[in-house]
Amino acid sequence: MSYIQIAKSDITSSTANVDITGITDDSVYMLSIRNLTSDGSSTHAIMRVLNSGSPDTTSNYSGAEMNLRSDTGHNVGSRDNQSFWYISHNISTTTQSQHNTIIYLYDFNDSNQNSYIVNLPSDWRSSSALFGRVGSAVHKVDQSNNGVRIQLDSGNMLSAEITLYKVV
């Protein structure tokens, strides 16, 4: 297995959202997010699919995950009929708090299938706790999607390196 870089965005100042496009065939794609930081406290990174370059804000996003925490016990979480996918744990304004993840994107280009993801984040919290997750999520609409929008549920991103790869 190898990867071909399709698109990249480097955030170096306060940014509300980033659209990453370039999904043009039925291949599996991988999204890498490194060192995402926030200007808000108790915020989460979220993701939406892009349909013809526009974010789909309908309540058709569902997912489930196993949350792994270094400070407390592990737990299972799920969400149904949301208007986005949560892709991180809590991010705060401290310099130590950051989000990193690898997200695999499946069936995004196929207009006869739901798009779905496998999310593998690792977040460092200001409370000196490591948070991990193993999760999957689905966008319950049969449509062709050409990318994703990354943003926070409140506040702006201050830094991040976001890269889309095609898996070959």
Side-chain angles (χ1 to χ4, degrees):
M1 178 179 351
S2 60
Y3 302 91
I4 299 170
Q5 183 175 316
I6 302 299
K8 183 175 181 182
S9 179
D10 289 317
I11 298 170
T12 58
S13 62
S14 185
T15 303
N17 59 64
V18 173
D19 292 346
I20 302 289
T21 60
I23 297 174
T24 58
D25 63 24
D26 294 337
S27 298
V28 174
Y29 288 80
M30 182 188 82
L31 186 72
S32 167
I33 301 175
R34 295 184 58 231
N35 302 323
L36 187 149
T37 62
S38 159
D39 70 355
S41 118
S42 296
T43 189
H44 301 86
I46 64 171
M47 185 168 85
R48 291 185 168 107
V49 300
L50 293 177
N51 179 257
S52 300
S54 296
D56 187 328
T57 59
T58 60
S59 296
N60 291 302
Y61 296 83
S62 296
E65 68 271 339
M66 170 61 107
N67 295 300
L68 311 168
R69 299 176 57 153
S70 66
D71 62 341
T72 63
H74 310 319
N75 64 12
V76 175
S78 65
R79 295 171 189 86
D80 195 27
N81 300 322
Q82 302 293 302
S83 61
F84 53 79
W85 290 314
Y86 283 101
I87 58 169
S88 79
H89 295 279
N90 241 345
I91 305 170
S92 71
T93 56
T94 64
T95 56
Q96 304 95 315
S97 185
Q98 60 181 305
H99 170 63
N100 298 280
T101 192
I102 298 292
I103 302 173
Y104 288 94
L105 313 173
Y106 298 92
D107 292 333
F108 266 60
N109 188 62
D110 190 338
S111 61
N112 297 309
Q113 295 287 332
N114 292 179
S115 296
Y116 68 99
I117 64 170
V118 173
N119 185 22
L120 306 165
S122 178
D123 300 329
W124 183 253
R125 297 271 308 273
S126 59
S127 59
S128 297
L130 183 64
F131 288 66
R133 175 183 290 162
V134 177
S136 294
V138 63
H139 182 250
K140 301 180 291 184
V141 178
D142 293 347
Q143 68 185 25
S144 179
N145 298 302
N146 67 325
V148 295
R149 171 170 285 183
I150 306 298
Q151 64 187 85
L152 301 177
D153 60 358
S154 66
N156 288 327
M157 298 175 282
L158 295 178
S159 66
E161 178 184 290
I162 305 170
T163 311
L164 179 67
Y165 299 91
K166 180 193 284 192
V167 179
V168 293

